[in-house]
Structure formats: C-alpha cells, structure tokens
C-alpha cells in the first residue's frame, strides 16, 4: 500500500496547492495526536539503541503494556518510584517521556540526575539520539540545540539538563520534572530528596512539578522510599495495590497465600506519602517468562546478584558472603607452591595500613593466562620494615609493575613518634616514602566494592568452574593472610537508621580486607586494556629441554641437601658439600 502523501496516484486530479494543503493538514493532525498522547508518540517515532543487536541496533520501542502503564503514571502522579529488574528499558522510556514533554510543550525544564555527571550526560545522549531519529518535519516544528549536558528547544524555551548526584546542584533550578536514575547507587539521598521535593513544589498540587525515581534493588535509602518507611520503620498498609499481568506468576514453592515472589507489575499507592510505586519485574515482558530464557539469562550470575538485580530483592546481599565462590571451590583455587619459570611475568600489589596489616603479594601469569599469587607479606608494623622485607625478595628486581592504593598519593602529617615522621620533611605521602625507599609504585584503580568483586568473579566464573574448567586465579597455600581473609568478606547489614541517614548501597564490611583489596588492585590492573602482562618470547623445544634438565638438577641438589641436613646436621652438610666438590 503506497503512501498517498508522498506518492499520490497519477489518476488523481489534484493541484499542487491542494496536495500541499492535504499534507499540511495530515501533519497537523499527527502533531496534535502526538502532543496529546505521549505513549503513541513514544512507540511510533523515537528510536532506541540496542547494543546487543548488531543487525538492527536502532529500533522503535517495543509495544510492551507496562511501558504504557508507566506513561499514564508519569502523566498523572506527582511522585513515581520504579524499583525494577535490569534490562527493562525503563530508563530509555523515561528519557523519551521527558523528550516528549520538552518537544511539544512550552517552558518546560526537565532534569536527569544520576550517580555521576558522565552517566547523566549519557541520558542526554539518549535523548539526542531519539530526537535525531524523528522525521524532519517534526524537528522543524521544535528545533533544538544540544551540548554534552543539555538540550535546548529554542522555539519552546524548554530544556533537558543533566546533573550529577547530590542536593547542591538542584537548588539553582525549578524543575517541571526531575528524573533520578540508579537511585540506589547514589549517596546523600536524604538531602537530595529534600532538595528535589522543594524544587518541584509550586503554589498548589496542580501547579507543582514531578519526581520520577528509577533503580534496581539496593539495600539503602532507596529501600525505605519504595516501602513507605521514610517516616516510620513499620508503615501502614498501602491505600491500594494492583497486581498487573497475573499470567506472569511463576510456579514457586511458597506456601499457599504466603507467596512473596515478585512477578509482572505491581502498582501501589503508599498510605504515608501518597506516592505511587510501580514494582516492575522482568516477567512483565512476555518474552522473558519461559524456562528456556530463564536458564539462559541466569548463566554465570551469582544467585545473590540475580535475586537483587532481577528479582528486586533489597536484602539479597545484606550480611551475605561476597566471595562464596572461593569457599565453594577452595580446593581448586589454592595450590601447592612451585618454582615460577623465569620467563613468566611478575608484578606486585600493595595495600598500606597505618595500624592494620600491610598486605603485599607478588603475582605471576602462566602461558594459559592463569594468575598466581605466589608470595605474601602480611603483617603490621612500621613502613620501613615492610619495604625492607619486600626488597629482600629475590624476585623484587623482576617486578614489572608495583601497584599501590591510589589514596597513598595524598600527603599527610607524619607522627614524630614514627621513623617515617622523624625526618626533615614531616608532610609527605605514603607513595613518596615508597619511592624514597626504592619501591616505585603506580596508582591502583580504586573502584566501588561491587567492581572489585566483579574482578574476582571474572577469574572465578562460577558457571565455568561448575563445568570443570580451571580457575584463572590461583593462590599458593603459603599466603595465609589472603586465605584467611577471603572467606570472611561480607556485605554490610544496614540498620534502619543507617538507611535513613543515606548510607551508600553495596558496601562491604570494612574490616580484614587488606589482602582482598590488594588482590583486587592486581586483577583490575591486568584486566584493563593495555596493562596485560607480557610473556617473554616463546622458547624453542631445545631451550625448554635445557631448562627442564637444569630444573631437575637444581631440585635434586636441593632435595639431597635437605636430606643431609636432617641426617647429619651442619657438619654433615659440610661433608656432603665436600663430597660433591
């Protein structure tokens, strides 16, 4: 069927003027329809980007019913919170809704707030992509100018603005709508919430702005907001509750009438705040309800991560072991010491503690890419004792990189009671003291705790280990400090007061984690492109045989020496050496 607006049939008797008038009338009707029906506009015109589909990366929004429900909530409610599963395109939809608001209506200021300015800018980039995908006639009616952090619709005097986390950045604006994404990852949430509420408050409810909160489950202030606990730890029942998509209910072992498994979409109006909370489970998408999809999607994801990120369980990690995979596969991760071949690359990682143990490990990598922690210094004490012990190791000159906690580059006042402080330069950094002692380090990547754990899970992939594959990070059983620490690494358990004060989400217990940290610095360093350890040139077969024979001789001599010492003591060793000569 041809489009008569673009290719009118030749049999028509029409004038050019009449044709243009017909086109103009059609576009005017389409503009009005998009203006009055945002869900029609969102699913008909803007395109999203799907990084997982190389054949069709740019596509229109899928016609999912839950996106239509969210659109209606954004139109009518003052505050909407959306705790969600991952990969539900809720962020894209919220950006598209704000784009619609600024595209069709005058004098609007819509803000995007995220964990960092870079992430907020990415939301602006989403809006810019969707605006560029609109037909030219629609762009001409509402022209826009874009920067990295702002899109201005000049004819409408409307703006989309990107902002980082925190309350201070909000106080200079009055927002028509503020959309806060990844709320569970943001710090200072109570202060930000108060500032956001003030910036949207007008003379009446009808003339006030809107707040949209979006995020996956994190055991923090976000959990209080969605469960109506901002004013009391034991909230009253909700004013009303609606369960949508009952066909998505899974088969579960919960007792009859006591099932707490989330599924589909549940919309709740809170009794205390009058906010609307839309719990959005991945099963609201019909394509994600099959057992086949579930089995495929769960591969390689730890159970507690799946419960939190997909099943919207806010307490999935609270108090739980963060490295349960190490405990489960310890017998395959911990190995007996062996002599490291000369051609394997070596590096070290350091975590300094003023009153805690100084943790340092030497690492190497075999030809198969497996990393080994093969030497350990783990003890408290003055810095010069640690560095002297590290420099005394035979492998110290072979270390290509020495990675140190990035915070050690901050200068601080040394105590005059310490050897480090009894110098002419009282103010210096730990890194500077390392350098003066001959241990020249490079700064480590200091990420959030969840990123550190991701580095460990890359080398201890639970799915691969369950299939019988070898772990890609092994630890010599002589590294007692690391082996004692790793089983005890746990997520914090936050009290109601901790959450109310805005304690950041996903924090590990900050105790007995020094070897864990230096191991994370090492793994993150080599997992960064460009920092991969470089193996020595490949040896020939003859060189390998020669090295093997030399190793056999050295091992035999060492065994014979040990046996002589045990049988005859020191004098026996001298006789033995004379006999060998």
């Amino acid at each position: 069927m041809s489009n008569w607006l673009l290719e009118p049939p030749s049999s028509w008797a029409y004038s050019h003027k009449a044709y243009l008038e017909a086109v103009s009338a059609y576009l005017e009707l389409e503009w009005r329809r998009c203006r009055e029906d945002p869900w029609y506009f969102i699913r008909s015109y803007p395109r999203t980007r799907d990084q997982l589909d190389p054949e069709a990366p740019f596509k229109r929004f899928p016609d999912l019913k839950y996106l239509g429900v969210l659109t209606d909530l954004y139109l009518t409610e003052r505050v909407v919170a959306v705790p969600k599963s991952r990969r539900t395109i809720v962020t894209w939809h919220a950006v598209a809704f704000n784009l619609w608001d600024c595209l069709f209506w005058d004098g609007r200021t819509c803000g995007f707030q995220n964990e960092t300015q870079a992430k907020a800018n990415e939301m602006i980039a989403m809006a810019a992509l969707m605006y560029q995908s609109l037909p030219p006639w629609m762009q001409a009616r509402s022209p826009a100018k874009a920067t990295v952090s702002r899109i201005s619709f000049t004819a409408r005097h409307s703006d989309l603005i990107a902002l980082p986390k925190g309350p201070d950045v909000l106080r200079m604006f009055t927002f028509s709508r503020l959309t806060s994404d990844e709320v569970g990852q943001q710090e200072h949430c109570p202060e930000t919430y108060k500032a956001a509420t003030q910036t949207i408050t007008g003379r009446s409810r009808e003339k006030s702005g809107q707040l949209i909160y979006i995020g996956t489950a994190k055991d923090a202030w976000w959990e209080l907001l969605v469960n109506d606990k901002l004013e009391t730890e034991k909230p009253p029942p909700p004013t009303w509750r609606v369960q949508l998509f009952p066909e998505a209910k899974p088969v579960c072992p919960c007792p009859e009438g006591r099932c707490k498994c989330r599924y589909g979409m549940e919309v709740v109006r809170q009794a205390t705040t009058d906010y609307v909370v839309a719990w959005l489970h991945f099963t609201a998408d019909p394509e994600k309800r099959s057992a086949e999809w579930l089995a495929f999607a769960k591969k390689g994801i730890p159970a507690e991560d799946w419960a939190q990120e997909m099943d919207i369980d806010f307490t999935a990690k609270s108090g739980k072991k963060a490295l349960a995979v190490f405990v489960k596969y310890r017998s395959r991760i911990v190995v007996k010491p062996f002599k490291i071949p000369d051609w394997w690359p070596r590096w070290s990682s350091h975590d300094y503690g003023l009153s805690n143990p100084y943790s340092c490990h030497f690492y190497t990598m075999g030809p198969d890419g497996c990393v080994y922690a093969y030497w350990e210094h783990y003890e408290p004490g003055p810095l010069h004792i640690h560095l002297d012990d590290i420099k005394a190791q035979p492998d110290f000159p072979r270390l290509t990189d020495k990675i140190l906690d990035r915070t050690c580059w901050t200068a601080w006042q040394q105590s005059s009671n310490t050897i480090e402080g009894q110098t002419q330069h009282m103010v210096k950094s730990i890194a500077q003291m390392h350098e003066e002692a001959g241990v020249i380090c490079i700064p480590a990547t200091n990420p959030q705790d969840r990123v550190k754990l991701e580095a460990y899970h890359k080398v201890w992939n639970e799915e691969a280990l369950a299939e019988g594959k070898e772990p890609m990070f092994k630890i010599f059983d002589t590294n007692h400090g690391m082996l004692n620490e790793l089983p005890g690494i746990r997520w914090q358990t936050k009290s109601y007061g901790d959450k109310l004060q805005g304690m950041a989400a996903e924090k590990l217990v900050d105790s007995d984690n020094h070897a864990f940290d230096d191991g994370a610095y090492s793994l993150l360093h080599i997992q960064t492109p460009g920092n991969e350890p470089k193996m020595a040139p490949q040896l020939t077969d003859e060189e390998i045989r020669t090295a093997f024979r030399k190793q056999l001789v050295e091992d035999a001599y060492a065994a014979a020496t040990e046996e002589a010492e045990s049988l005859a003591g020191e004098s026996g060793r001298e006789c033995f050496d004379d006999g060998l000569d």
Side-chain angles (χ1 to χ4, degrees):
M1 182 176 179
S2 64
N3 189 335
W4 63 269
L5 289 173
L6 301 178
E7 300 177 5
S10 57
S11 60
W12 280 18
Y14 68 93
S15 66
H16 182 65
K17 181 179 179 180
Y19 172 70
L20 294 180
E21 289 176 351
V23 171
S24 178
Y26 170 79
L27 296 181
E28 180 63 28
L29 290 174
E30 188 69 5
W31 177 268
R32 291 181 182 180
R33 182 178 182 184
C34 291
R35 189 172 187 265
E36 300 300 327
D37 187 349
W39 179 225
Y40 170 76
F41 164 77
I42 290 172
R43 71 177 187 269
S44 301
Y45 285 100
R47 293 180 181 269
T48 66
R49 181 180 62 192
D50 186 354
Q51 296 92 330
L52 302 181
D53 188 353
E55 296 182 357
F58 304 105
K59 57 189 67 174
R60 291 193 175 94
F61 279 88
D63 192 9
L64 294 169
K65 292 182 180 179
Y66 68 80
L67 294 179
V69 175
L70 288 177
T71 303
D72 292 339
L73 293 176
Y74 296 163
L75 276 173
T76 57
E77 298 298 331
R78 181 169 177 262
V79 179
V80 180
V82 188
K84 68 181 185 69
S85 303
R86 296 192 66 182
R87 296 284 297 168
T88 49
I89 64 172
V90 171
T91 300
W92 277 96
H93 173 262
V95 172
F97 184 83
N98 283 278
L99 173 65
W100 164 84
D101 199 2
C102 292
L103 187 72
F104 291 97
W105 299 93
D106 296 338
R108 307 292 286 174
T109 300
C110 298
F112 297 135
Q113 190 169 38
N114 213 312
E115 183 183 7
T116 64
Q117 182 68 54
K119 290 185 176 181
N121 292 346
E122 181 61 27
M123 298 176 75
I124 290 291
M126 292 179 182
L129 172 66
M130 287 188 276
Y131 179 80
Q132 292 169 359
S133 68
L134 300 178
W137 67 267
M138 192 172 282
Q139 295 184 31
R141 286 196 170 208
S142 190
K145 293 181 179 180
T147 64
V148 173
S149 60
R150 190 180 191 121
I151 299 178
S152 297
F153 297 83
T154 53
R156 301 282 172 198
H157 300 285
S158 296
D159 296 278
L160 292 172
I161 304 172
L163 300 167
K165 64 185 178 185
D168 295 336
V169 295
L170 301 179
R171 293 193 173 101
M172 63 180 295
F173 296 100
T174 298
F175 286 107
S176 309
R177 183 181 301 101
L178 178 65
T179 301
S180 185
D181 194 24
E182 297 188 8
V183 181
Q185 300 285 9
Q186 298 185 32
E187 298 175 350
H188 312 296
C189 280
E191 297 85 357
T192 305
Y193 166 75
K194 293 175 184 177
T197 303
Q198 292 167 1
T199 194
I200 67 164
T201 302
R203 293 184 176 180
S204 64
R205 181 183 179 91
E206 292 73 20
K207 293 185 178 181
S208 292
Q210 294 174 298
L211 288 176
I212 298 176
Y213 290 107
I214 299 170
T216 52
K218 305 294 178 186
D219 188 24
W221 178 89
W222 175 227
E223 187 264 339
L224 302 184
L225 174 66
V226 301
N227 286 307
D228 200 10
K229 295 181 180 179
L230 292 181
E231 298 183 15
T232 174
E233 189 173 0
K234 296 181 179 179
T239 304
W240 51 258
R241 182 192 305 269
V242 178
Q243 177 68 56
L244 303 177
F245 316 119
E247 65 275 12
K249 182 174 175 59
V251 177
C252 64
C254 300
E256 184 67 28
R258 297 183 182 180
C259 179
K260 294 184 179 181
C261 298
R262 295 206 174 274
Y263 62 92
M265 185 180 194
E266 184 181 30
V267 183
V268 176
R269 183 177 293 282
Q270 297 179 348
T272 305
T273 63
D274 201 39
Y275 297 165
V276 168
V277 180
W279 297 81
L280 182 60
H281 193 258
F282 66 88
T283 51
D285 184 346
E287 295 184 1
K288 297 180 180 179
R289 297 173 187 169
S290 66
E292 293 77 13
W293 182 89
L294 198 62
F296 165 74
K298 279 189 173 182
K299 284 186 177 180
I301 301 179
E304 63 273 13
D305 286 345
W306 180 269
Q308 183 184 63
E309 300 285 345
M310 300 300 288
D311 284 333
I312 327 178
D313 184 350
F314 280 86
T315 60
K317 292 184 177 179
S318 182
K320 304 293 195 308
K321 289 186 177 182
L323 284 175
V325 62
F326 171 78
V327 178
K328 185 176 182 179
Y329 295 99
R330 180 182 181 125
S331 60
R332 294 164 57 187
I333 293 172
V334 181
V335 297
K336 294 290 184 183
F338 58 87
K339 183 176 177 59
I340 307 299
D342 293 339
W343 58 86
W344 287 15
R346 294 161 169 80
W347 66 95
S348 64
S349 184
H350 309 245
D351 185 74
Y352 172 76
L354 179 61
S355 56
N356 295 314
Y358 182 112
S359 177
C360 171
H361 289 82
F362 286 7
Y363 299 88
T364 186
M365 178 182 284
D368 59 352
C370 182
V371 176
Y372 295 85
Y374 69 94
W375 181 81
E376 175 181 87
H377 174 89
Y378 186 92
E379 60 183 58
L383 181 59
H384 72 281
I385 293 179
H386 304 312
L387 299 182
D388 288 344
D389 186 32
I390 292 169
K391 291 189 295 182
Q393 298 307 308
D395 272 0
F396 179 77
R398 299 181 179 180
L399 301 177
T400 55
D401 291 322
K402 305 171 190 70
I403 308 157
L404 178 64
D405 182 354
R406 182 176 292 273
T407 60
C408 291
W409 266 259
T410 302
W412 59 294
Q413 183 74 32
Q414 300 296 307
S415 169
S416 59
N417 296 326
T418 65
I419 294 179
E420 290 81 14
Q422 297 169 3
T423 65
Q424 296 179 352
H425 302 287
M426 294 290 291
V427 179
K428 59 174 67 176
S429 69
I430 298 298
Q432 183 181 350
M433 286 187 266
H434 276 71
E435 184 174 353
E436 291 173 355
V439 183
I440 302 175
C441 301
I442 60 175
T445 301
N446 279 37
Q448 295 177 339
D449 290 339
R450 59 186 174 85
V451 180
K452 295 178 183 178
L453 286 171
E454 286 173 3
Y456 278 98
H457 285 298
K458 284 181 181 178
V459 292
W460 294 335
N461 184 288
E462 193 160 3
E463 179 188 356
L465 293 174
E467 293 175 354
K469 296 180 181 178
E470 285 297 308
M472 298 308 292
F473 175 39
K474 298 182 180 180
I475 306 169
F476 280 14
D477 63 10
T478 51
N479 296 341
H480 303 295
M482 179 174 281
L483 296 179
N484 290 335
E485 271 193 14
L486 294 183
I489 301 298
R490 290 179 179 272
W491 295 103
Q492 289 181 349
T493 300
K494 299 185 182 69
S495 66
Y496 176 72
D498 291 335
K499 299 175 186 178
L500 201 60
Q501 295 173 13
M503 181 181 287
E506 289 199 338
K507 287 285 187 180
L508 295 173
V509 175
D510 191 16
S511 176
D512 297 329
N513 57 354
H514 319 293
F516 166 80
D517 281 346
D518 103 55
Y521 300 153
S522 171
L523 294 174
L524 286 166
H525 178 73
I526 64 173
Q527 290 170 5
T528 302
N531 292 340
E532 300 89 348
K534 295 178 174 58
M535 302 293 295
Q538 185 67 40
L539 300 178
T540 64
D541 292 343
E542 183 58 33
E543 288 173 329
I544 294 175
R545 285 193 290 270
T546 301
F548 181 69
R549 287 195 294 269
K550 180 181 178 182
Q551 187 70 52
L552 287 177
V553 173
E554 291 178 354
D555 291 347
Y557 180 82
T561 302
E562 184 178 355
E563 182 179 0
E565 288 178 349
S566 63
L567 292 176
E570 189 63 30
S571 59
R573 182 188 174 191
E574 293 175 359
C575 296
F576 179 72
D577 287 341
D578 292 339
L580 287 177
D581 292 337

